[in-house]
Amino acid sequence: MEVVMVIVIGCLFAGATYLMLSKSLLRIIIGTGLLSHGAHLLLLTMGGLKKGAPPLLDVQAEHYVDPVPQALILTAIVISFGVTAFLLVLAYRSYQEIGTDNIERMRGKEDHD
């Protein structure tokens, strides 16, 4: 199962890198979202995909699941949601002011493709 997760994480990182290198601001925001999802899956995979009982005092089991990676991922999801919402509002406001989402035009370069 870890091999499949590594392939998915690699595809997410590759897609995020491709989108973040484009000139469109909306594609850059989608790329950061994909990068954060890849990081969440990486944290989950590095924590280990183990089967076991929840770490409760009442439950007697041979193997327990470590809750720390899940707590880290939950925190990272909340933070990435906040950053994505902020970037979307910032992109919308810049589109209202400038009238484009092209990064080259935002910098003031007139010789664009």
Side-chain angles (χ1 to χ4, degrees):
M1 184 68 178
E2 281 89 1
V3 175
V4 174
M5 292 292 283
V6 168
I7 292 171
V8 170
I9 291 167
C11 290
L12 282 174
F13 281 164
T17 304
Y18 176 74
L19 287 173
M20 290 175 70
L21 291 175
S22 67
K23 294 181 182 179
S24 174
L25 190 58
L26 189 60
R27 286 185 180 198
I28 293 171
I29 294 171
I30 293 171
T32 57
L34 280 179
L35 187 70
S36 68
H37 288 308
H40 299 157
L41 287 177
L42 182 67
L43 282 172
L44 182 68
T45 306
M46 290 297 109
L49 302 173
K50 300 173 187 161
K51 294 181 181 177
L56 300 174
L57 295 175
D58 298 355
V59 179
Q60 299 296 326
E62 270 185 50
H63 301 286
Y64 292 105
V65 179
D66 188 17
V68 174
Q70 296 171 7
L72 286 174
I73 292 169
L74 184 61
T75 305
I77 288 171
V78 171
I79 291 171
S80 67
F81 175 72
V83 169
T84 303
F86 174 72
L87 288 176
L88 285 173
V89 169
L90 190 65
Y92 179 69
R93 183 70 179 141
S94 67
Y95 183 77
Q96 281 183 335
E97 289 292 322
I98 300 171
T100 185
D101 71 335
N102 191 342
I103 298 295
E104 297 295 324
R105 289 185 184 170
M106 285 182 181
R107 289 183 183 164
K109 293 184 180 180
E110 295 299 325
D111 53 347
H112 48 75
D113 296 327

